[in-house]
Amino acid sequence: MQIKSARFIISASGVGDCPPWDQPEFAFIGRSNVGKSSMINMLTNKSGLAKVSATPGKTRLLNFFLMNDSWSLVDLPGYGFAKAAKHEKFDFNKLAGDYLEQRENLRRVFVLIDSRLPPQTIDLDFIAWLGGTGLPFSLIFTKADKQSATKTRNNVAVFLETMGQHFTGVPEHIVSSSKTRDGRNDILRAITETLAGQ
């Protein structure tokens, strides 16, 4: 797949504010500061399309980006942002949950996991919840450039093994780096295959 055009459409503060279209949507979610915005910029070859911040938890809305005028990437608020007020944290995690449960255009969810870390309870809990929705999803292990390939492989293996203790079947997983662009073709292939099978 080639992305010939990519443009920001809208930031929605609720499911009712989402674009009233029938474009297939692919959502990106993960812990705050896992690299969702950098991933979208890498996939689209537009460095400033999604706003990247050094401060975790800056994405508070549902951000829609239209690709090739035919399908959409959606940047969801990260989960686990500790510095927000408790009610604010609840609100913007609820926003992502409402979108995932209610949005009929949604075709696949990409869950981003920091490849440098041991398995995090918050990631495993979210994946367990997501599995209960029945939505198709893939795991993307990010920031692979920040450590050796061996370390990344080992960390991914430990995560999948831990996940396998609680789930039947392991979803597709992709190792990526927004800096080196590793994983880009695999992510676009997953999107292409999903679009072809709808």
Side-chain angles (χ1 to χ4, degrees):
M1 173 189 288
Q2 288 189 346
I3 295 182
K4 298 178 180 178
S5 66
R7 54 195 175 96
F8 170 74
I9 299 299
I10 194 173
S11 292
S13 59
V15 176
D17 298 325
C18 294
W21 60 21
D22 58 0
Q23 307 286 12
E25 294 169 2
F26 296 84
F28 287 74
I29 193 169
R31 290 171 62 244
S32 298
N33 209 30
V34 76
K36 297 187 305 298
S37 299
S38 296
M39 177 71 60
I40 288 173
N41 291 338
M42 181 266 284
L43 290 174
T44 60
N45 289 322
K46 285 194 171 186
S47 60
L49 184 65
K51 290 182 173 64
V52 178
S53 173
T55 305
K58 278 294 185 182
T59 301
R60 305 292 182 90
L61 303 170
L62 310 170
N63 296 311
F64 290 79
F65 304 89
L66 186 61
M67 307 292 120
N68 296 341
D69 292 320
S70 61
W71 54 276
S72 177
L73 296 180
V74 187
D75 187 6
L76 301 184
Y79 49 80
F81 178 48
K83 292 185 179 180
K86 286 186 179 179
H87 70 279
E88 189 176 55
K89 179 181 178 183
F90 173 80
D91 284 348
F92 73 77
N93 279 283
K94 182 178 184 299
L95 175 61
D98 287 347
Y99 168 84
L100 292 170
E101 288 184 321
Q102 299 175 27
R103 188 66 170 168
E104 294 183 0
N105 306 53
L106 181 59
R107 296 293 179 266
R108 177 168 292 275
V109 181
F110 291 98
V111 182
L112 277 60
I113 308 291
D114 191 329
S115 68
R116 302 170 299 174
L117 302 178
Q120 303 292 297
T121 300
I122 193 168
D123 289 324
L124 295 169
D125 286 349
F126 175 76
I127 292 168
W129 176 86
L130 184 63
T133 69
L135 289 166
F137 69 94
S138 303
L139 304 180
I140 302 179
F141 290 90
T142 65
K143 305 186 180 185
D145 60 284
K146 298 184 181 295
Q147 63 189 354
S148 70
T150 299
K151 180 68 172 173
T152 297
R153 278 195 303 272
N154 290 341
N155 285 356
V156 170
V158 170
F159 188 95
L160 296 176
E161 181 181 357
T162 304
M163 185 179 163
Q165 296 170 8
H166 309 283
F167 304 90
T168 53
V170 174
E172 175 188 37
H173 60 279
I174 298 167
V175 173
S176 74
S177 163
S178 295
K179 184 175 181 180
T180 64
R181 300 168 65 81
D182 285 352
R184 181 178 187 271
N185 289 339
D186 290 328
I187 297 167
L188 292 178
R189 173 193 50 75
I191 291 172
T192 300
E193 291 176 355
T194 302
L195 289 171
Q198 62 179 5

